[in-house]
Every structure is written in structure tokens, then in C-alpha cells.
Amino acid sequence: MANADPMDRQGVYEDYERARQTFHHLLDTASQDDLARPTRGTKWTNEQLLWHMLFGYMVVRALLVLVRVFSRLPRRVSMVFARVLNAATVPFDLINYLGPCGAVKVYGPRRMGAAFDRVTGSLQRHLAAESEAGLARGMHYPVRWDPFFKDFMTLADVYRYPTQHFDFHRRQLTLGGSGEDIS
């Protein structure tokens, strides 16, 4: 199931940097009215969705630990774990929705930008230290939790995940004076 080709680390680094620059541009050019505006296809405001986009990178740090642990166990263990998480999709969806609603009260745009810099820098450093064998290790995931989760994901897949998540949600933002995209 794992990809035998070496991972394009430089491509991942470039994707992280593109997302980081885009995130800062969105934060730097958005007015308070822009941030408070509803998004396209979600129940969040733009500010809440921006937080969720940041959180997609933050959660990868925990996913890396899970892959390292579960990939050392029999594969059926992560399969059962993924099934249990899939069964808990309804409470997960509620927590996933409410998290950004509360987080934006603590993190303003400036803190979100600094957090994005820290987390992408951390992920780049971790990726640089990974062996090819380590990147090929994987586990099963709860596919009902996220459209970018596959049934089985390698560590390399997990490093690519947050930018896929970011790009998907970027299209749902309604920043700019008329609700049109600004970048």
C-alpha cells in the first residue's frame, strides 16, 4: 500500500511556504468585517475557517505520533482504531465545528499568523529528519472524518495532508468587500 518512490520533500516544503504566505496575505488584507462574514459552504465565519485551516497543520503533529505508534503494531489494530473513530463521527463533527468558534476568541489574526509560522517550520524540520523507511510507515484512518483521509495513509501522506486541507478550505473563504475572493 505504501508508495515505493521517494517522497518529494522539496515539493512539500514549497507547498508549506506557499500556504504560509497565502495565510499571511489573507490575514493582512482582511478587515474585521471580512473576518466576521460567513464562508461558502460552512457554518463558520472567515476567521473561524482560517483558524480551522491553521489547525489542519497543528493536528499533523499528533497524527505523526499516531502513525509512529500504530505502524509498529499489527495492522488490524489501526484498522479497529479507525473503525471506532468512524463510529464517533457525529461527536467529532460537533467538536470540529465548535473548536474554531472558541479558538478565535483566544487567538486573533496576529497570533494565528505567528502560530502558522511556528507549526509549518516545525513540520519542515521534522520532515527533514525523517528516513525514507519512516515515511513509508502507515496506519488506517477514519475516512469519515475528513475528505482527505484515505483508508491507509503513510507518514509521507500525513505530511502532504495539511496543504490539501488548506487549499480545499481556501476556496470557501469569502474575504474582500463584496464577499469575493481576494487572492
Side-chain angles (χ1 to χ4, degrees), residues 71-177:
S71 68
R72 294 181 187 330
L73 301 172
R75 194 173 276 195
R76 72 181 179 283
V77 174
S78 73
M79 190 178 301
V80 169
F81 181 68
R83 285 183 186 152
V84 168
L85 294 179
N86 270 329
T89 298
V90 171
F92 167 79
D93 286 344
L94 179 62
I95 293 166
N96 190 44
Y97 167 72
L98 293 174
C101 296
V104 297
K105 296 178 187 314
V106 176
Y107 275 75
R110 197 174 105 236
R111 287 186 69 199
M112 281 196 283
F116 204 95
D117 293 346
R118 281 191 306 275
V119 72
T120 54
S122 172
L123 290 174
Q124 288 174 331
R125 288 187 299 278
H126 281 91
L127 176 55
E130 298 285 357
S131 69
E132 288 301 321
L135 290 169
R137 299 180 78 84
M139 66 176 277
H140 290 275
Y141 275 81
V143 294
R144 291 181 57 202
W145 280 28
D146 191 282
F148 299 103
F149 282 176
K150 297 182 283 188
D151 175 54
F152 188 87
M153 293 175 66
T154 65
L155 206 57
D157 295 327
V158 173
Y159 277 108
R160 289 191 281 281
Y161 160 78
T163 304
Q164 295 170 326
H165 178 261
F166 179 94
D167 290 340
F168 172 80
H169 286 302
R170 167 67 190 91
R171 293 184 292 274
Q172 295 175 310
L173 293 169
T174 58
L175 297 170

Side-chain angles (χ1 to χ4, degrees), residues 15-69:
D15 285 344
Y16 286 1
E17 180 59 20
R18 175 188 50 78
R20 191 189 72 76
Q21 288 179 9
T22 299
F23 195 76
H24 279 281
H25 172 74
L26 294 167
L27 291 174
D28 293 346
T29 58
S31 69
Q32 281 305 116
D33 287 343
D34 288 333
L35 293 173
R37 187 175 299 114
T39 56
R40 230 180 260 110
T42 81
K43 295 179 182 179
W44 286 315
T45 65
N46 284 313
E47 185 175 21
Q48 292 163 344
L49 184 55
L50 284 164
W51 166 260
H52 179 75
M53 292 161 66
L54 162 62
F55 191 70
Y57 285 89
M58 294 171 135
V59 76
V60 166
R61 293 181 297 192
L63 296 178
L64 296 175
V65 173
L66 286 175
V67 172
R68 287 185 185 101
V69 170

